[in-house]
Amino acid sequence: MENEAMSVNPVYQDLLEQLQRTAERIPETQRRMMGQLGVAWSPDRMVKAVVGPRGQLVDLVIDPRVFRQPNAAALTTMILQASRDAADQVARQVDEIMQEQLPPELTELRARQPREDLGLGDHFADLMRSDAQRYEEREDRP
């Protein structure tokens, strides 16, 4: 009778083992995520933006030829667009690393089901919007 009380349903046992393996991989997953960089260029290749894993700008390279015909508004646009593109790139990389850690069944479910059906619709999309997108929507921006 004691052995029956101690036995675990095989389905739950498998789930527990998956959770244990996922938990053991957390430090490596974090290390991989924190090692990601997003790199993007302006269409004319005059501006290069590099962002870290959190989407923060870590390097900016401006080709000196930009200053031959100064245009602050155009330069601002190039910097912002390259930064956004780099942030989008690194967000996709980090998401891919996270998806690798999910149990295969959950990954398959997410691929088959629209996010709305999983209850992730607008809320998830809102969470994934960049700071730049949020800033553009502000009415009180300078």
Side-chain angles (χ1 to χ4, degrees):
M1 183 101 165
E2 287 181 31
N3 283 343
E4 287 178 26
M6 297 297 287
S7 67
V8 176
N9 182 318
V11 172
Y12 295 124
Q13 183 63 39
D14 185 48
L15 262 171
L16 289 171
E17 289 170 5
Q18 286 182 19
L19 286 172
Q20 179 64 34
R21 286 190 300 270
T22 299
E24 290 169 357
R25 291 190 307 254
I26 288 174
E28 174 62 17
T29 300
Q30 288 176 327
R31 187 194 63 71
R32 287 181 57 211
M33 289 171 58
M34 296 311 292
Q36 299 303 303
L37 292 175
V39 180
W41 291 85
S42 62
D44 61 3
R45 313 270 308 159
M46 295 291 221
V47 173
K48 173 185 166 187
V50 180
V51 301
R54 295 183 199 99
Q56 298 171 342
L57 190 63
V58 296
D59 193 17
L60 180 65
V61 178
I62 301 172
D63 189 305
R65 293 176 292 170
V66 165
F67 302 109
R68 290 182 188 157
Q69 296 179 338
N71 181 338
L75 180 58
T76 299
T77 299
M78 288 189 291
I79 291 170
L80 289 174
Q81 189 59 54
S83 298
R84 286 181 196 125
D85 292 348
D88 289 345
Q89 181 188 89
V90 81
R92 284 190 304 274
Q93 292 169 353
V94 167
D95 186 56
E96 286 174 16
I97 291 170
M98 288 300 299
Q99 295 305 315
E100 291 171 8
Q101 304 310 310
L102 297 175
E105 298 82 7
L106 185 56
T107 303
E108 290 171 22
L109 177 64
R110 286 188 69 190
R112 286 185 298 187
Q113 295 290 105
R115 290 190 187 274
E116 300 81 40
D117 292 351
L118 296 174
L120 301 174
D122 293 337
H123 180 68
F124 187 79
D126 185 53
L127 287 174
M128 299 310 293
R129 288 187 2 222
S130 70
D131 292 341
Q133 291 167 320
R134 292 175 191 278
Y135 180 75
E136 287 176 357
E137 294 168 0
R138 288 180 62 136
E139 293 179 13
D140 64 338
R141 67 181 185 182

